[in-house]
């Protein structure tokens, strides 16, 4: 039987005759550290042999200075012992303690002045001398210091040795605390009583039933630990989805449910041709300036696109076509090759439309619905609602019968599925859609209309160079991912959602994103 079981049996035996035990008193009687006893108590309590209740108790304990005195002697008693029977003068007594008055000369403002420097040991001596007089160890008569009596005990050392008998609040306790020889410490202990499975002898409890115990029949005589079905499992360290990713997943599922396919969007660096020119956006448009767009320096220029496509786009910009006169300016091939960080996912849509047009040549016409959700980049001033990089959601429908009414219907159904029913459409201008509409929704917290997206029908001037037949229309809409995420998770400052100010714990604790359709 190990020592812990010995202690357990002692505690259980004592509980037979004593209703309540004190863990401090038990530790003292066993001459062990109280903390070592706590482990034994926890084992007994988990087996329901005992029940414990935590208690607190204030007590006096020695300071470092008090411990030093207990191991040697007090300062006043040391002075008392050094005084001879015939008495001694103050100067000679100080010399016994190695205290001397040192004279030093200090130069001040051109004059020599003597200044007496006191020995550091004298302050300690004076304190001990004063206490020796208070304690009645010594007396002074006409400059002669003598003992009051011989063989007096060291009263302070004696009090410190009996510290556990001194009551808190007593004059003795106050004196020791005042002299910084003792201090009050709060200790924790347990009151111990019988548990529901109390027995006067401890039996080892097994954590699990083993094959060996079943085979030899030992299980009949064994005790087993009860299983705590309410205990929490070990926390698993794992990754967590960021709020943006949770909302992105929900939006993807909604769009897939509406019959859309996701476009590949893993190319952040894009040529100006696909980002602007293929969308019939003129090269002098303000959005193409450096204060709005991030231009790449290495590589500065993109690879060449299909020359036939390039020439068609160039011609549409310069002279127009399909009923348009174009922009009537000299289109620059060099400008179209400049690499940028894409400013919108519509660059992905323009590429996809070109691929679909190539498939039409092989397989003939077929309708399609696509969507994309990914990062875009703008040279924005950072504030509570704007970032230089953010996410854009975009959907396009390619169909001969696609109309503005169908576009409004798809938009209403999408927003209905994320819980927004109150929508308004406002005419606006976009370089590559006509007609174009801004989408407004009612914000329940702000209690007003807020812009939540943009939409329109792609212009023939954009579709024709890409190879889309004249009788096929393409309707499209887009919105940001950050704003609905901020609304859903009640995030007031976008800078706390991404970047260095993100709190990892907040990401871990965010709820699932489940939009309720109304």
């Amino acid at each position: 039987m190990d020592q812990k079981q010995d202690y357990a049996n002692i505690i259980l035996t004592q509980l037979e005759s004593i209703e309540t035990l004190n863990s401090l008193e038990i530790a003292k009687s066993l001459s062990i550290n109280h903390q070592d006893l706590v482990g034994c108590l926890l084992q007994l309590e988990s087996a329901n042999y005992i029940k414990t209740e935590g208690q607190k108790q204030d007590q006096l304990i020695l300071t470092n200075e008090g411990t030093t005195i207990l191991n040697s002697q007090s300062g006043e008693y040391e002075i008392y012992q050094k005084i001879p029977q015939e008495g001694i003068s103050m100067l000679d007594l100080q010399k016994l303690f190695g205290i001397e008055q040192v004279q030093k000369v200090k130069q001040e403002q051109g004059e020599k002045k003597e200044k007496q420097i006191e020995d550091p040991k004298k302050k300690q001596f004076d304190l001990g001398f004063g206490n020796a007089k208070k304690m009645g160890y010594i007396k002074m008569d006409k400059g002669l210091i003598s003992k009051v009596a011989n063989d007096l005990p060291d009263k302070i050392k004696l009090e410190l040795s009996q510290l556990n008998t001194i009551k808190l609040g007593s004059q003795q306790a106050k004196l020791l605390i005042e002299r910084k020889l003792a201090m009050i410490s709060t200790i924790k202990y347990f009151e111990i009583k019988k548990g529901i499975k109390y027995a006067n002898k401890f039996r080892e409890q097994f954590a699990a039933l083993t094959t060996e115990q079943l085979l030899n029949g030992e299980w009949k005589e064994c005790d087993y630990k009860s299983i705590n079905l309410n205990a929490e499992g070990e926390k698993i360290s794992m990754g967590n989805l960021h709020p943006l990713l949770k909302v992105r997943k929900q939006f993807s599922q909604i769009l897939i449910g509406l019959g859309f396919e996701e476009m590949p969007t893993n190319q952040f660096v894009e040529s100006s041709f696909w980002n602007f020119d293929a969308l019939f956006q003129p090269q002098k448009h303000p959005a193409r300036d450096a204060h709005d767009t991030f231009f790449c320096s290495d590589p500065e220029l993109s690879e060449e696109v299909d020359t036939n496509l390039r020439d068609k786009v160039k011609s549409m910009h310069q002279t127009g076509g399909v009923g348009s006169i174009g922009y009537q300016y000299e289109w620059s091939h060099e400008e179209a090759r400049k690499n940028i960080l894409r400013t919108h996912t519509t660059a992905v849509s323009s590429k996809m439309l070109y691929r679909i047009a190539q498939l039409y040549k092989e397989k003939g016409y077929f309708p399609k619905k696509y969507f994309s959700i990914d990062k875009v980049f703008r040279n924005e001033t950072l504030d509570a609602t704007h970032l230089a990089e953010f996410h854009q959601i975009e959907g396009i429908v390619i169909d001969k019968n696609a109309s503005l009414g169908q576009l409004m219907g798809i938009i209403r159904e999408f927003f209905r599925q994320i819980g927004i029913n109150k929508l308004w459409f406002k005419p606006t201008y976009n370089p590559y859609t006509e007609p174009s509409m801004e989408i407004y929704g009612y914000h329940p917290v702000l209690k007003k209309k807020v812009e939540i997206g943009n939409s329109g029908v792609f212009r023939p001037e954009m579709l024709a160079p890409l190879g889309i037949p004249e009788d096929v229309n393409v309707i499209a809409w887009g919105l940001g991912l950050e704003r609905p995420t901020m609304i859903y998770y009640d995030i007031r400052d976008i800078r706390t959602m991404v970047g260095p100010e993100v709190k990892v714990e907040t990401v871990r604790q965010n709820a699932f994103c489940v939009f309720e359709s109304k």
Side-chain angles (χ1 to χ4, degrees):
M1 186 180 291
D2 61 22
Q3 200 170 41
K4 189 179 284 188
Q5 286 185 330
D6 287 339
Y7 295 152
N9 285 327
I10 291 170
I11 293 167
L12 293 173
T13 301
Q14 290 184 13
L15 275 175
E16 274 192 295
S17 55
I18 304 172
E19 185 180 347
T20 304
L21 298 178
N22 183 310
S23 61
L24 288 174
E25 294 173 359
I26 295 173
K28 186 177 179 182
S29 67
L30 295 174
S31 301
I32 61 172
N33 186 287
H34 183 262
Q35 196 58 39
D36 294 335
L37 182 66
V38 170
C40 176
L41 295 177
L42 290 174
Q43 184 180 21
L44 285 172
E45 188 169 31
S46 66
N48 293 313
Y49 279 83
I50 64 170
K51 56 183 179 180
T52 64
E53 186 176 342
Q55 303 289 338
K56 292 181 180 180
Q57 178 180 307
D58 289 341
Q59 67 173 16
L60 279 177
I61 61 170
L62 292 174
T63 61
N64 290 337
E65 189 177 347
T67 303
T68 303
I69 291 174
L70 186 63
N71 294 330
S72 56
Q73 59 187 355
S74 64
E76 54 264 39
Y77 195 72
E78 186 180 2
I79 291 172
Y80 165 76
Q81 286 187 315
K82 286 188 180 290
I83 296 173
Q85 285 293 117
E86 64 274 14
I88 192 171
S89 69
M90 179 63 81
L91 189 60
D92 289 337
L93 182 60
Q94 288 179 347
K95 285 181 180 179
L96 291 177
F97 284 89
I99 298 169
E100 296 181 3
Q101 298 297 326
V102 182
Q103 300 292 326
K104 288 191 177 180
V105 177
K106 187 177 180 183
Q107 190 80 18
E108 289 184 6
Q109 296 180 353
E111 298 180 6
K112 287 186 178 180
K113 288 186 179 180
E114 276 193 353
K115 185 178 180 182
Q116 184 169 304
I117 307 299
E118 194 176 71
D119 193 316
K121 289 181 285 185
K122 188 173 183 304
K123 184 177 180 181
Q124 190 175 356
F125 173 84
D126 289 344
L127 183 62
F129 188 82
N131 287 331
K133 288 176 70 177
K134 285 181 186 177
M135 302 290 288
Y137 286 130
I138 61 174
K139 61 183 179 180
M140 286 190 71
D141 186 21
K142 297 180 180 179
L144 188 68
I145 305 167
S146 59
K147 293 179 178 179
V148 170
N150 292 322
D151 302 323
L152 293 175
D154 189 343
K155 297 177 184 178
I156 289 295
K157 182 177 179 178
L158 189 62
E159 286 184 6
L160 293 177
S161 66
Q162 300 171 349
L163 193 67
N164 58 347
T165 65
I166 299 174
K167 291 183 179 181
L168 286 173
S170 67
Q171 194 61 37
Q172 276 180 298
K174 289 178 181 177
L175 176 63
L176 293 175
I177 293 170
E178 188 178 324
R179 288 189 59 178
K180 298 182 180 178
L181 303 178
M183 63 181 181
I184 297 174
S185 174
T186 301
I187 59 168
K188 297 178 180 180
Y189 67 98
F190 296 97
E191 282 188 351
I192 308 162
K193 295 182 180 179
K194 292 178 181 178
I196 58 174
K197 291 186 179 180
Y198 169 78
N200 60 6
K201 190 175 181 181
F202 177 75
R203 292 182 62 181
E204 183 183 0
Q205 289 189 312
F206 295 92
L209 180 66
T210 65
T211 306
E212 186 180 350
Q213 290 169 352
L214 283 171
L215 292 174
N216 60 26
E218 283 184 3
W219 64 272
K220 297 175 184 178
E221 305 297 327
C222 293
D223 285 345
Y224 295 92
K225 293 179 180 178
S226 57
I227 299 172
N228 182 5
L229 298 176
N230 295 320
E232 291 186 3
E234 184 179 350
K235 288 188 177 180
I236 301 171
S237 180
M238 59 183 179
N240 297 85
L241 286 177
H242 189 276
L244 276 172
L245 294 178
K246 294 177 184 177
V247 176
R248 174 176 175 164
K249 184 178 180 181
Q250 280 292 304
F251 282 3
S252 295
Q253 290 177 346
I254 290 169
L255 288 165
I256 290 169
L258 292 173
F260 286 77
E261 296 178 32
E262 188 166 7
M263 295 183 278
T265 57
N266 54 350
Q267 185 176 324
F268 294 162
V269 176
E270 193 56 87
S271 70
S272 293
F273 178 85
W274 289 113
N275 196 86
F276 296 121
D277 294 275
L279 302 180
F280 195 58
Q281 191 161 333
Q283 293 183 340
K284 297 298 181 181
H285 194 280
R288 300 180 70 155
D289 292 341
H291 62 77
D292 278 331
T293 301
F294 291 110
F295 286 86
C296 300
S297 57
D298 187 19
E300 184 180 359
L301 301 178
S302 68
E303 295 179 356
E304 291 282 1
V305 297
D306 179 75
T307 54
N308 185 40
L309 171 64
R310 183 196 67 196
D311 291 342
K312 287 180 180 179
V313 170
K314 176 181 178 180
S315 174
M316 188 63 72
H317 277 252
Q318 290 187 159
T319 59
V322 291
S324 170
I325 63 170
Y327 291 114
Q328 301 292 311
Y329 72 100
E330 189 65 33
W331 187 83
S332 169
H333 178 217
E334 191 79 6
E335 182 69 26
R337 289 188 62 198
K338 288 181 180 178
N339 277 327
I340 62 167
L341 293 180
R342 69 181 179 211
T343 62
H344 48 194
T345 52
T346 316
V348 178
S349 300
S350 63
K351 279 185 174 180
M352 184 56 71
L353 288 170
Y354 179 65
R355 291 174 192 165
I356 291 293
Q358 302 309 303
L359 289 174
Y360 281 173
K361 293 177 182 178
E362 300 173 13
K363 301 179 180 180
Y365 162 78
F366 52 87
K368 268 291 183 184
K369 293 192 284 190
Y370 289 109
F371 79 95
S372 62
I373 306 177
D374 214 335
K375 284 184 180 179
V376 296
F377 307 86
R378 306 267 176 90
N379 194 356
E380 298 268 12
T381 301
L382 306 187
D383 58 30
T385 56
H386 293 85
L387 291 175
E389 99 179 44
F390 54 97
H391 293 75
Q392 190 177 52
I393 306 159
E394 182 164 329
I396 63 171
V397 177
I398 309 165
D399 197 343
K400 287 184 177 180
N401 300 315
S403 64
L404 196 64
Q406 185 181 355
L407 174 62
M408 295 169 72
I410 292 172
I411 292 170
R412 286 189 186 280
E413 179 58 22
F414 173 78
F415 281 104
R416 185 192 70 81
Q417 293 202 31
I418 64 173
I420 301 175
N421 278 321
K422 294 182 179 180
L423 290 179
W424 292 266
F425 297 95
K426 176 184 174 183
T428 188
Y429 168 77
N430 292 320
Y432 43 88
T433 59
E434 181 60 39
S436 306
M437 301 181 297
E438 290 176 347
I439 309 166
Y440 288 80
Y442 180 75
H443 196 303
V445 177
L446 299 177
K447 298 189 184 304
K448 65 176 184 179
K449 297 177 187 177
V450 293
E451 185 180 352
I452 54 176
N454 212 316
S455 64
V457 180
F458 280 145
R459 296 177 63 150
E461 295 99 321
M462 170 191 163
L463 300 177
L466 298 175
I468 300 295
E470 286 188 30
D471 60 344
V472 175
N473 292 333
V474 180
I475 54 178
W477 84 98
L479 66 148
L481 183 65
E482 279 72 10
R483 182 168 291 179
T485 303
M486 290 175 70
I487 294 171
Y488 187 83
Y489 287 104
D490 193 25
I491 298 169
R492 305 303 173 91
D493 191 327
I494 197 170
R495 292 168 294 190
T496 64
M497 187 166 62
V498 293
E501 294 186 36
V502 172
K503 295 179 180 177
V504 176
E505 197 58 34
T506 303
V507 174
R508 286 177 180 159
Q509 293 175 356
N510 274 328
F512 287 107
C513 174
V514 180
F515 290 104
E516 294 183 5
S517 59
K518 297 179 181 179

